[in-house]
Amino acid sequence: MAMSIVHRATGIANAAGFVLLVLWLVAAAAGDPMFGAVNGLFGSWFGQLVLFGFTWSLTHHMLGGIRHFIWDTGAMMEPGRREAIAWATLVGSVVITLVIWLVFVWVG
Amino acid sequence: MREQLITKDTIADPRTRYGAAKASTRHFMTQRVTGAINIVFLLLLLFVVVRLAGADRAGAVALIGTPWIGLPLALLIVNVAIHIRNGMRDVLEDYFAGSTYTLLMTLTTLFSVVVGALGALCVLKLVFWG
């Protein structure tokens, strides 16, 4: 129930994040001044915060989608198991997001 | 536009084609196929973003302008736009009806087409013109 709402909320958030990706591509196509400006915006502390949230939102929505693929086969629908798989998507999304940022941003 | 009066008979009669059951099988399959392809998109996006973190525009053009990265990226951006429109339909169908739904769905289509086409065209520009 709650996970259904989160799946929808992250889906809408991903649509907003998609605008950020396209903004970055427009800037890359436009030229150096705009690319520098957008990179500066995304590199600021607020930009990094938004991108971190976007990473989690994408990861959570992807795992939610995989959960739906599993449910489509009829598996993991039983009481208890469906709660377990819901928790797995939540914990998994946080772990994957932290690993991505740890490996590629904070350390790399 | 006047709202249609919904009775039990309207809902029970398949000939009225009331509700979301017009092309729902196609919407269901579209959402799953584009969703599965989006996993590939995320992997490619992660690769591109990680490679370009802190890079200047020349680096971005060199990487995205590579045809075997740029061309799949453009296709996957279109795929994401389709997935966004289809997914937003699922949400809008549940909370809105009648002309409000039609209006919001039109705005969703507009958003998907404009943002998706813009993203894909910018990538193609980098591939073919640098």
Side-chain angles (χ1 to χ4, degrees):
Chain A
M1 168 67 195
M3 273 309 182
S4 167
I5 295 167
V6 175
H7 193 65
R8 289 176 168 204
T10 52
I12 293 168
N14 290 344
F18 187 51
V19 175
L20 296 180
L21 171 66
V22 170
L23 176 69
W24 186 72
L25 290 170
V26 168
D32 281 318
M34 191 176 167
F35 192 70
V38 170
N39 259 357
L41 190 69
F42 288 3
S44 68
W45 69 267
F46 184 71
Q48 292 287 290
L49 194 67
V50 169
L51 290 183
F52 183 82
F54 186 33
T55 311
W56 174 76
S57 179
L58 281 173
T59 314
H60 191 278
H61 198 78
M62 180 186 76
L63 292 181
I66 292 171
R67 185 177 45 129
H68 275 283
F69 283 135
I70 294 170
W71 279 343
D72 286 346
T73 70
M76 300 296 282
M77 285 289 233
E78 302 82 359
R81 297 185 77 189
R82 58 171 181 258
E83 281 78 12
I85 199 173
W87 278 108
T89 54
L90 185 62
V91 174
S93 64
V94 172
V95 169
I96 292 174
T97 304
L98 287 174
V99 166
I100 288 174
W101 278 70
L102 199 66
V103 171
F104 297 117
V105 183
W106 295 324
V107 176
Chain B
M1 203 174 92
R2 271 185 63 202
E3 301 295 325
Q4 186 190 355
L5 185 65
I6 308 301
T7 64
K8 272 191 175 173
D9 291 334
T10 311
I11 298 168
D13 183 358
R15 281 172 302 180
T16 61
R17 299 175 73 78
Y18 170 77
K22 297 180 187 71
S24 288
T25 307
R26 175 162 57 79
H27 296 157
F28 179 95
M29 289 315 295
T30 303
Q31 203 59 356
R32 269 143 189 84
V33 171
T34 55
I37 297 172
N38 276 347
I39 297 177
V40 181
F41 171 78
L42 283 183
L43 294 175
L44 182 64
L45 183 66
L46 183 66
F47 171 75
V48 168
V49 169
V50 165
R51 282 283 296 271
L52 291 181
D56 58 0
R57 184 171 173 272
V61 173
L63 184 69
I64 299 174
T66 311
W68 61 268
I69 293 175
L71 295 181
L73 186 63
L75 283 175
L76 290 168
I77 285 171
V78 173
N79 188 67
V80 168
I82 294 170
H83 189 83
I84 287 176
R85 176 167 182 267
N86 216 39
M88 282 304 294
R89 188 208 326 270
D90 268 343
V91 178
L92 295 177
E93 272 173 353
D94 282 356
Y95 301 109
F96 303 99
S99 52
T100 316
Y101 167 78
T102 310
L103 172 68
L104 291 172
M105 202 53 222
T106 306
L107 292 175
T108 300
T109 305
L110 199 66
F111 172 90
S112 307
V113 170
V114 169
V115 179
L118 196 60
L121 287 175
C122 286
V123 172
L124 292 180
K125 190 256 176 192
L126 293 179
V127 172
F128 293 110
W129 292 281

